[in-house]
Amino acid sequence: MKIDLSGQLAIVTGASRGIGAAIARLLGACGAHVVINYKTNESSAIKVMEMIKASGGSAEVAGFDVTDEDEVKVSIKSIVENHGKIDILVNNAGISKDGLILRVRSSDWDDIINTSLKGAFLCTSNVVRYMIKARYGRIINISSVVGLGGNAGQGAYAAAKSGLIGLTKSLTKELGPRGILVNAVAPGFIDTDMTKDADHKSVVAMIPLGRVGLPEDVAGVVLFLCSEIGSYVTGQVIVVDGGLYI
Ligand code: NAP
């Protein structure tokens, strides 16, 4: 069986690098037209687009800051009106700035919450009007195992990622009757720029599968949730962590 997303339009936020880039590549390989969002890294976003096109897919880049209400509104309106539809939104953009609670600056707190949580709210609220009209949509929020279990030194990040789970479950109830499925994916430790300074060896020692995750490990689960075979799954938080968090 081949997963076919031909004719579908997908927006992936924070897709210039890491997990978002892998999601964009996989959705593109399965036939979706992918909008690769980035904040600052235009050249990386263009490389992701070129990779998709080189393997026969279709994609474009869209630079906007998911924390900026006006930018999100204008960009999403233009993308959706240009294509006449929006089928898939992956709220992936996120940042981490770790620190024990006594040292967390309120500006860092705001940046973390605004990127993961407010960004997802802004992008979602701007796509759902179109999804409701079409009575179809798939929204996937990239949370974290830290949003489920917490982590010392990651209070703000955990709050943002737990918040995404609450948003996912509420929107499942609100939008399910309109044909829109909303799920969260909670990665464990994935090898990206975000984790490049961590001690990989000590993390691997805690992972039953004996390796860190790859962006492609997360992308596969997102693809399942976007596809026809995931059409009775909504309101779930799917952990992708090699058994780290059980
Ligand atoms: P990454 O390699 O640091 O990439 C982050 C991406 O987010 C980049 O494309 C970046 O764009 C984009 N971004 C940041 N702020 C943005 C904003 N305000 N507006 C639009 N885009 C923005 O991170 P990653 O590891 O792939 O993480 C992706 C998601 O997975 C995040 O939500 C993260 O919290 C989550 N996650 C990661 C892990 C992990 O172990 N890596 C584990 C659990 C959850 P630019 O390139 O333009 O800066």
Side-chain angles (χ1 to χ4, degrees), residues 37-177:
N37 161 254
Y38 65 94
K39 182 183 173 190
T40 51
N41 227 321
E42 185 180 22
S43 58
S44 305
I46 289 173
K47 274 186 201 145
V48 176
M49 177 183 75
E50 282 167 352
M51 284 174 79
I52 293 172
K53 287 185 175 174
S55 43
S58 162
E60 66 190 75
V61 299
F64 59 88
D65 180 343
V66 297
T67 70
D68 184 315
E69 189 168 358
D70 292 335
E71 273 187 38
V72 171
K73 192 174 174 184
V74 170
S75 305
I76 289 186
K77 188 169 188 280
S78 141
I79 293 161
V80 177
E81 293 188 355
N82 209 8
H83 292 275
K85 66 189 332 243
I86 170 71
D87 303 286
I88 297 163
L89 170 68
V90 184
N91 287 309
N92 167 78
I95 57 167
S96 67
K97 295 183 189 182
D98 298 350
L100 298 174
I101 197 68
L102 286 173
R103 290 170 188 267
V104 175
R105 288 193 304 230
S106 75
S107 59
D108 288 344
W109 175 278
D110 288 346
D111 288 347
I112 293 164
I113 301 284
N114 285 346
T115 308
S116 266
L117 189 53
K118 187 178 173 194
F121 153 66
L122 290 175
C123 292
T124 301
S125 60
N126 278 283
V127 300
V128 287
R129 68 184 79 248
Y130 303 102
M131 288 180 171
I132 286 171
K133 264 194 207 149
R135 297 195 66 81
Y136 183 89
R138 301 287 173 96
I139 299 171
I140 292 106
N141 296 319
I142 305 300
S143 177
S144 168
V145 290
V146 172
L148 290 165
N151 197 23
Q154 288 196 302
Y157 185 77
K161 295 304 189 183
S162 294
L164 272 179
I165 292 171
L167 180 67
T168 299
K169 289 181 182 281
S170 297
L171 294 184
T172 295
K173 294 178 179 175
E174 197 173 314
L175 300 174

Side-chain angles (χ1 to χ4, degrees), residues 138 181 183 224-225 227-236:
R138 301 287 173 96
L181 278 52
N183 288 286
F224 161 70
L225 292 170
S227 73
E228 219 19 64
I229 51 175
S231 59
Y232 200 56
V233 180
T234 191
Q236 300 307 303

Side-chain angles (χ1 to χ4, degrees), residues 193-211:
D193 290 347
M194 189 176 276
T195 53
K196 68 179 184 312
D197 296 330
D199 176 3
H200 285 220
K201 218 172 157 191
S202 64
V203 177
V204 168
M206 296 187 290
I207 301 174
L209 291 190
R211 66 169 176 91

